[in-house]
Amino acid sequence: MKRKPRRHLTAADMPRLRDELTEQADEIRRNSDQIAKNVGDQAIDDITLDAVCAAVRDAELWWVRRDMVELAASAAVSMIEWTPSLCRPGRAGILYWDHGSGVENLWQGTAGTRVETMAVLWFTLADGVAIVTVSRDPIRVGEFAFDGSLFTVDEHGKADWEDPAAQRLWDLVGATWLLAQQPTIGHTWGVRYDRRDPDRPFARPTLPSRITVVTLREISRAAGGDDPGIEDPPTQPRKLTHRHLVRGHWRQQACGPERRWRKPVFVLPHVKGPEGTELVMKPAVRVWRR
C-alpha cells in the first residue's frame, strides 16, 4: 500500500525519516564517483561520506514542536558565543523543526531557487561538529532528502561562513539545543516507537527506542508579577518605582577548564519591578550609526 505524501512530519515519523536518510546515504556512497563527476567541487569526499553513513544509522532523533521553533528562531537572532562540544545533546542526531526552520537551504537547485531547510543531521568530528541539511525532495513529493549541503564548525564554534544562510542555520541549531536543555524553558520527553513497523525497511533492534520531543515548558507566574530567580540580583540593590518589560536575551555562562567553554543561558521576556506599581511601556528606538 502506497503511503500518503507527507508535508510535515510528526514525532512518530522520525524513525522512518532516519531509515530513508540511511538508505539515501548508502546510495550516495555507492555512487560517489558518478556524483563527483556531475557536481564537481560540491561533492562530499569519501571520508566525510563514510562519516555521514555511520552517523545517520545511529542518530538520536529530535523533533521540535512549533512553539519551541518560534522561540529558538527569535533567540537565534541575538546568539552569542557558545561551545558545540558542551551544548550538543549527543554525538550524532537528526534534528527536525516542525513546519520548517525558516532558514533557506544552503544548496541552490537547478531551477535557481532555494528551499527551506526542514532538518539537519549533525555528527561529531575530531575537531568540531558537522552539519548536513535535509529538505523536501523536489522529485519525490512528500519525501525528505539530503540536499548536498554540508558545513563544519570547529570545537570553538568558529567557521568560514561563505554563505550567510549557513551561519543563520548554525545559530538556530545552537539556540534549539540550548533552549531544549534549559529546564526553565524547554521540556523534553521520550516517545517510544514500534520497531516491528513493516514500513520501516531498516528497522534495527539496536537503535534507541525513543524519540525526543521538545516543547516549551509551561511556566506559571502571578499576572504582572516578577519571575523570581530569572535574573541574578544586582550587587547594589536598586529601588524600582515602576514596572517595565525585559526583552528575552542571552546571558553568557563561562565554564569548563579555565572557564574557556561557553554555555549561554536564555532569559525569557518578563515583567520586572514591584508588584502594584505602574507598568511603563518605553518604545524601542534603534539608532543606525556609521
Side-chain angles (χ1 to χ4, degrees), residues 65-93:
R65 209 170 74 173
R66 191 62 197 167
D67 53 2
M68 177 60 86
V69 176
E70 292 175 356
L71 177 61
S74 175
V77 175
S78 58
M79 195 65 190
I80 57 180
E81 182 184 355
W82 57 287
T83 305
S85 60
L86 183 65
C87 303
R88 58 174 170 75
R91 294 191 59 81

Side-chain angles (χ1 to χ4, degrees), residues 71 74 221 227 230 245-249 266-271:
L71 177 61
S74 175
R221 62 172 71 110
D227 186 7
I230 203 165
L245 291 177
V246 178
R247 292 185 301 169
H249 60 278
F266 191 73
V267 180
L268 285 170
H270 62 283
V271 176

Side-chain angles (χ1 to χ4, degrees), residues 118-263:
M118 303 298 295
V120 296
L121 166 71
W122 87 81
F123 57 94
T124 305
L125 302 172
D127 56 350
V129 176
I131 298 289
V132 186
T133 56
V134 176
S135 303
R136 291 192 183 92
D137 194 311
I139 300 175
R140 297 179 298 175
V141 178
E143 300 298 324
F144 297 84
F146 291 124
D147 51 48
S149 300
L150 179 145
F151 62 90
T152 59
V153 184
D154 68 20
E155 56 185 359
H156 303 294
K158 306 297 182 183
D160 182 14
W161 302 113
E162 297 181 358
D163 191 328
Q167 184 165 12
R168 291 198 301 272
L169 183 62
W170 176 244
D171 289 341
L172 178 63
V173 169
T176 304
W177 284 346
L178 288 161
L179 293 174
Q181 298 176 87
Q182 188 172 327
T184 57
I185 295 180
H187 176 57
T188 62
W189 70 92
V191 178
R192 292 190 177 277
Y193 60 86
D194 186 0
R195 296 193 183 97
R196 296 171 295 179
D197 183 349
D199 290 329
R200 295 190 56 230
F202 293 91
R204 294 169 54 199
T206 57
L207 290 178
S209 60
R210 282 181 176 270
I211 306 156
T212 301
V213 179
V214 184
T215 185
L216 279 177
R217 179 177 294 279
E218 295 293 335
I219 301 176
S220 60
R221 62 172 71 110
D226 215 351
D227 186 7
I230 203 165
E231 284 192 332
D232 295 331
T235 54
Q236 295 296 329
R238 292 184 304 161
K239 186 176 181 180
L240 297 176
T241 59
H242 61 273
R243 290 180 298 152
H244 62 276
L245 291 177
V246 178
R247 292 185 301 169
H249 60 278
W250 291 101
R251 182 170 54 192
Q252 191 62 274
Q253 177 176 293
C255 52
E258 300 179 4
R259 300 176 65 82
R260 290 178 300 179
W261 296 351
R262 298 291 182 267
K263 188 174 183 180

